[in-house]
Amino acid sequence: MSTVQQPDLSDRPARLTVGVVGAGRVGPALAASLQLAGHRPVAVSGVSDASRRRAEAMLPDVPLTTPADVLQRADLVLLTVPDDALPGLVAGLAETGAVRPGQLLVHTSGRYGTHVLDPALRAGALPLALHPAMTFTGTPVDVQRLAGCSFGVTAPEELRLAAEALVIEMGGEPEWILEENRPLYHAALALGANHLVTLVAQSMELLRTAGVEAPDRMLGPLLGAALDNALRSGDAALTGPVARGDAGTVAAHVTELRRHAPQAVDGYLAMARATADRALAQGLLKPELAEDLLGVLAGGGNGTHGTEGNTR
């Protein structure tokens, strides 16, 4: 049975002192947000010149120091390092005696729950996993974007209220994620957000190649409407040549991509196959049109269809 005790965040006159280990794009923004809620950033560590400049800009007058010193100074420590570096960092801090009993140790990895903090838990720390479902720029705008941002929260039951309170203080919305569901949760976010950036960047490059002077202005309203429709209606929002079964148009697309952007062909085909499967399942793609379409996709676009449709 867990021996973690629920900290009383209201009985500390100066609120919590906050430290950041890993001054990437996330840590300084969260610390700045906590500062607005009345907590006090006291130390930050960063390795690269960029991280140090970011810390100085986002957390002015907060001293830059070592990870061990951050833990020595802070009641609440944000571990905001890359996922793959987190287990080694936690183990190292615990082994060197840097972790203090009763200290709130928070990581922001989407992949991990609180088990990755077990070495620190054994040293007496209070473990929390608070992952903001947001993309960060490393600039002050990130603090504003936290308003209404969902956080994937995982913590021992005894610390659930404390975890949710911290998220709310940062302006976020807590969403409870079970430990065993963290990798799936993170995969879902990466699929939607990270791959979206790649798709948009590729689309902009292709529009420039096609002679469009302001691809961002062209795509903005279209993609904004598509995203809004998808969030509201799910698969029912599917449109375009794949959902309609326009095999000739899809074949023409692939031909042009092979000519102008061969690096985009595999991604186009993979997404088109996934779209066709979902459109079929929803009854949007007529079975009699699906056969020709799937034949084009299976052949990598090397079909004989020559009829082009529109892009709605």
Side-chain angles (χ1 to χ4, degrees):
M1 180 177 294
S2 172
T3 59
V4 175
Q5 298 299 310
Q6 171 72 45
D8 184 352
L9 303 185
S10 64
D11 66 353
R12 309 183 189 191
R15 305 303 303 279
L16 294 171
T17 53
V18 179
V20 179
V21 176
R25 297 182 180 184
V26 179
L30 297 188
S33 182
L34 287 168
Q35 186 174 35
L36 291 175
H39 300 290
R40 184 164 60 92
V42 293
V44 58
S45 71
V47 176
S48 69
D49 290 339
S51 66
R52 290 173 176 271
R53 288 193 298 269
R54 188 179 299 114
E56 290 169 353
M58 299 279 287
L59 300 169
D61 302 323
V62 175
L64 288 160
T65 184
T66 65
D69 193 44
V70 171
L71 268 71
Q72 181 61 38
R73 299 184 185 206
D75 301 316
L76 165 63
V77 179
L78 302 172
L79 303 180
T80 52
V81 299
D83 289 358
D84 288 351
L86 183 60
L89 172 66
V90 175
L93 291 172
E95 289 171 3
T96 58
V99 179
R100 293 187 287 109
Q103 189 169 48
L104 284 163
L105 210 56
V106 178
H107 78 71
T108 58
S109 166
R111 170 185 172 187
Y112 293 108
T114 56
H115 287 343
V116 71
L117 298 174
D118 279 352
L121 173 63
R122 290 190 288 271
L126 307 177
L128 306 176
L130 307 179
H131 175 253
M134 177 55 63
T135 181
F136 288 80
T137 65
T139 65
V141 71
D142 295 333
V143 179
Q144 302 169 22
R145 287 179 173 175
L146 288 174
C149 168
S150 291
F151 278 67
V153 177
T154 304
E157 186 64 31
E158 299 92 332
L159 294 176
R160 179 167 181 158
L161 292 179
E164 293 178 342
L166 287 171
V167 170
I168 291 170
E169 285 189 319
M170 288 186 281
E173 297 287 342
E175 185 73 37
W176 195 254
I177 308 294
L178 294 176
E179 178 85 26
E180 59 268 26
N181 290 341
R182 293 288 291 204
L184 179 60
Y185 151 81
H186 195 225
L189 295 180
L191 183 66
N194 302 156
H195 297 173
L196 175 63
V197 174
T198 300
L199 290 171
V200 173
Q202 286 183 337
S203 182
M204 291 178 66
E205 289 172 355
L206 292 168
L207 286 172
R208 290 192 190 97
T209 302
V212 176
E213 293 184 0
D216 55 339
R217 190 169 65 226
M218 178 176 283
L219 284 174
L222 173 65
L223 297 185
L227 177 59
D228 184 64
N229 291 342
L231 292 175
R232 291 173 182 270
S233 304
D235 287 331
L238 284 171
T239 63
V242 172
R244 289 194 304 270
D246 290 342
T249 297
V250 172
H253 287 177
V254 178
T255 297
E256 290 302 298
L257 289 175
R258 290 194 188 283
R259 181 181 305 165
H260 297 287
Q263 72 279 3
V265 171
D266 287 345
Y268 180 95
L269 290 172
M271 291 304 299
R273 292 182 188 114
T275 300
D277 288 343
R278 301 186 78 89
L280 268 171
Q282 290 294 313
L284 301 172
L285 174 58
K286 297 178 181 179
E288 61 269 25
L289 298 177
E291 184 176 355
D292 282 351
L293 175 66
L294 295 175
V296 168
L297 297 177
N302 296 321
T304 60
H305 306 82
T307 302
E308 293 190 13
N310 60 38
T311 59
R312 289 177 298 166

